[in-house]
Amino acid sequence: MKTMRILAAGLLAAGSLALVGPSTAVAGNEISSVDRPQPVDQPLRALAKRHDLRIGTAVDMDALGSDTTYRTLVAREFSAVTAENVMKWESLEPVRGQYNWGPADELVEFARRNGQKVHGHTLLWHNQLPGWLTSGVADGSISSAELRDIVRDHIKTVVRHFAGKVWHWDVVNEAFTDGDNPVLRDTIFKTALGPDYIAQALKWAHEADPRVKLYLNDYAIDGINAKSTAYYNYAKQLRAQRAPLDGMGFQGHLDLQYPIPIDAAANLARFDKLGLETAFTEVDVRYFLPASTYNTAGQVGSFTVLLQACLLTPHCVMFTLWGFTDKYSWVPGFFTGQGEATPLDANFQPKPAYTALQLTLAGATGPRHRDF
Ligand code: XIL
């Protein structure tokens, strides 16, 4: 391999270097595979592999079970998967003390068979909590002391169940508020466990599986803004107090009525410098229907900006789409009048956004994407 690289470097010396793009100046006079141009028309996971980057998608378990085309494409295009819903608390423990592992285990098994990593989503989130928990807290039949035990047991039970099978966990999802002065959201977790509940949750998760990587995850933090800066400061503080935080997840739910986070690469770079892994965890780009040509261009640009940011960040280890086809996207159901937020249309046909992802992966040079 090494001989071939040196040979390639010799053959490509001087003028012909221009063929392989602008960043072929590789240390030690070697041309690594990441610097060779690639045929563009390959599955995303193949194009991402030479960067050591995992390309993921959220998986809708109903669609995986019923739609053969969907199932085939999840396997063919992606090297990481996230459960769109089935690892959330309401799905895993719909009845107090009775865990329903079936659908989540099915996804883990699908991923194993297809050489995919599993991003665990999510241990603590103020949404999609089981009714028994929210009503018990609301009517006072679950006290703060009891809730603390419930949270610890939930984290430990779930992390242990998936130990060795999940790559990273979103330990707390969407912990900060929006606006100019983001603060930790007042959730039942914060109320019961106190303002240090995140450090506590990380510690419990780490005890349950010392090897799994632990992340925080949120939306509207893709570029540099008040909320991402709040996370940056918070992550720094957690690391200083030796809390087991390994990574930061940037959801990447973009909306073309707002500016594209063109400074995403600079944002990720500052987290990388803290010694944290980074990942885009839920990327989609929505707009108001019907589409204009401007929307199509905006969507291409948006997917590209986020993927390039990841490619430029040495420890950005995963780029995950929140669904890859408009057929099953959550967007129309949650944002009135908006849609078409994924790279494939409702008939699984690639849109310009899909081709843009291929081109960006095929053309990129730069660092390989290693875990810390
Ligand atoms: C969404 C799912 O896509 C929907 O199917 C579900 O009804 C609601 O949740 N941020 C997150 C995800 O962290 O868990 C959300 O997923 C989308 C926003």
Side-chain angles (χ1 to χ4, degrees), residues 84-85 88 121 125 128 173-174 251 282 322 330 334:
E84 184 168 355
N85 287 301
K88 293 172 182 172
H121 178 77
W125 189 26
Q128 292 182 277
N173 193 33
E174 303 180 351
Q251 291 185 1
E282 309 186 9
W322 206 243
W330 74 304
F334 279 79

Side-chain angles (χ1 to χ4, degrees), residues 189-208:
F189 312 116
K190 190 178 151 205
T191 307
L193 280 75
D196 282 341
Y197 83 96
I198 295 184
Q200 183 61 73
L202 289 164
K203 193 163 162 280
W204 285 330
H206 185 68
E207 283 165 6

